[in-house]
Structures are given as structure tokens and as C-alpha cells.
């Protein structure tokens, strides 16, 4: 996600073509843009893209002490 030309939120997705499997690599937002739902939107965009490409499963993991990402996942 961009604010002007500056990246402010992202979600990385690793894919295994032909396998139907993908894995969320990382999701986050720049500190001054947190708590606006941008990480959620970025992650939802990767999920939509994966679905359009035929991926049936997306795996994810996260820091067990990071409450915002636990809620998102």
C-alpha cells in the first residue's frame, strides 16, 4: 500500500506454483501508519490474488506475543 509514492503497508506471499500452496511471509505497516487497517487490507489483497491464481491453501505463522497480528491472522 502506498501513501503517495511511499510504501506504508505490505504483505508478502511465497507461492509454490502447481502445488496449490502458498505461505504468508510477512505483513506489516510503517509505524506512523499503524492502527488504520492497512496491514489487513494488504493481507486480504494477497489472499484474493492467491485465490484468483488457484491457490487453495495459505499457511501463516507469527510471533505469539504480537497481539495485532494474532487478531489479523
Amino acid at each position: 500500500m502506498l501513501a503517495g509514492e511511499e510504501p506504508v503497508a505490505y504483505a508478502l506471499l511465497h507461492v509454490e506454483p502447481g502445488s496449490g500452496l502458498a505461505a504468508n511471509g510477512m505483513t506489516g505497516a510503517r509505524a506512523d501508519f499503524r492502527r488504520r487497517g492497512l496491514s489487513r487490507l494488504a493481507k486480504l489483497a494477497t489472499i484474493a490474488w492467491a485465490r484468483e491464481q488457484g491457490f487453495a491453501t495459505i499457511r501463516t505463522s507469527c510471533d505469539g506475543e504480537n497481539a495485532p497480528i494474532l487478531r489479523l491472522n
Side-chain angles (χ1 to χ4, degrees):
M1 313 223 70
L2 301 173
E5 294 185 25
E6 293 287 320
V8 296
Y10 59 90
L12 303 177
L13 191 66
H14 302 277
V15 298
E16 297 178 31
S19 72
L21 300 174
N24 180 261
M26 191 180 251
T27 303
R30 207 169 75 186
D32 53 333
F33 280 84
R34 290 187 184 143
R35 311 235 0 115
R36 300 181 190 192
L38 298 176
S39 294
R40 178 180 171 78
L41 290 174
K43 190 165 214 171
L44 288 172
T46 65
I47 292 168
W49 178 88
R51 187 176 293 146
E52 290 169 4
Q53 302 303 310
F55 289 90
T57 302
I58 300 175
R59 294 185 178 132
T60 191
S61 63
C62 60
D63 178 351
E65 296 182 22
N66 183 337
I69 202 66
L70 287 170
R71 284 191 300 275
L72 178 58
N73 285 338

